[in-house]
Amino acid sequence: MASPRPLSKLKVAKHLVPPYGGFPNSGPTGKPLFVYPSAFPSSTAAAQIESHLKGIGVVKPAWRYTMYREHHFHSTTHEVLVVHSGSATLCFGGRENPGRVVHEAEKGDVLIIPAGMAHALLEDHGGFGMVGSYPVGAKQWDHCTGGERGVEDRIKRLEWFTRDPIYGDDGPVLG
């Protein structure tokens, strides 16, 4: 099992992203996009990340893949992504949103994406791959591209994490 960087050495970025077009972003949850840069050593393999996530028990690893180039969001669950290979430029909030967040993702980064937060791959810099996970017991994730009806009410009903998916009882998503 891989060990993340000590919490005391982690520099967490939190981004509240305003709604834009058909993308709810931080609106319904009031929760930011959390970025834990280099939370895992760059040498950490996907299987080690999955083992760590299973050991914490907050989320269940579901896939290994890249990110879709189309801006999309999930209305049925929050999402935890851990970069296990390569690097890429990612966009959160909608490509034209003046309040969007652009992140240069690298191996070891953790992204905790609240339901409703639009996200898309802008550029793969080579071999970009992530472990995608969802809260234990969550509904199957959906794929919304903006303008769907009823998503905000569905998002508002979702529970937020009671333990951090990476650090357990002491993690940044709890604050």
Side-chain angles (χ1 to χ4, degrees):
M1 182 159 86
S3 293
R5 169 190 302 256
L7 191 53
S8 62
K9 296 188 184 214
L10 187 69
K11 293 189 173 155
V12 177
K14 300 176 187 178
H15 304 280
L16 284 169
V17 180
Y20 182 79
F23 301 129
N25 295 320
S26 296
T29 64
K31 298 294 182 186
L33 162 69
F34 286 83
V35 179
Y36 301 3
S38 301
F40 287 95
S42 62
S43 60
T44 309
Q48 293 172 302
I49 292 166
E50 291 166 344
S51 179
H52 177 79
L53 294 171
K54 289 174 187 174
I56 296 294
V58 174
V59 295
K60 181 179 177 184
W63 50 263
R64 295 181 193 175
Y65 193 61
T66 185
M67 185 180 283
Y68 296 123
R69 290 188 179 273
E70 172 186 53
H71 265 84
H72 67 284
F73 66 92
H74 310 295
S75 71
T76 55
T77 184
H78 308 297
E79 185 171 35
V80 176
L81 306 175
V82 183
V83 181
H84 69 78
S85 64
S87 63
T89 304
L90 307 177
C91 183
F92 298 89
R95 195 175 313 268
E96 304 301 322
N97 185 347
R100 73 186 174 277
V101 172
V102 175
H103 176 69
E104 297 296 329
E106 298 182 352
K107 287 193 276 186
D109 286 1
V110 172
L111 304 154
I112 300 177
I113 305 172
M117 180 70 64
H119 49 289
L121 172 73
L122 294 182
E123 184 177 357
D124 184 333
H125 303 297
F128 182 65
M130 303 177 296
V131 171
S133 303
Y134 303 95
V136 172
K139 289 184 178 181
Q140 174 65 34
W141 57 273
D142 59 356
H143 184 93
C144 302
T145 56
E148 291 86 354
R149 294 180 179 267
V151 294
E152 289 199 22
D153 289 337
R154 190 165 43 244
I155 292 167
K156 286 177 185 176
R157 288 192 299 269
L158 293 175
E159 291 184 32
W160 188 242
F161 298 101
T162 57
R163 296 181 71 230
D164 189 276
I166 307 301
Y167 291 97
D169 294 331
D170 297 322
V173 300
L174 305 177

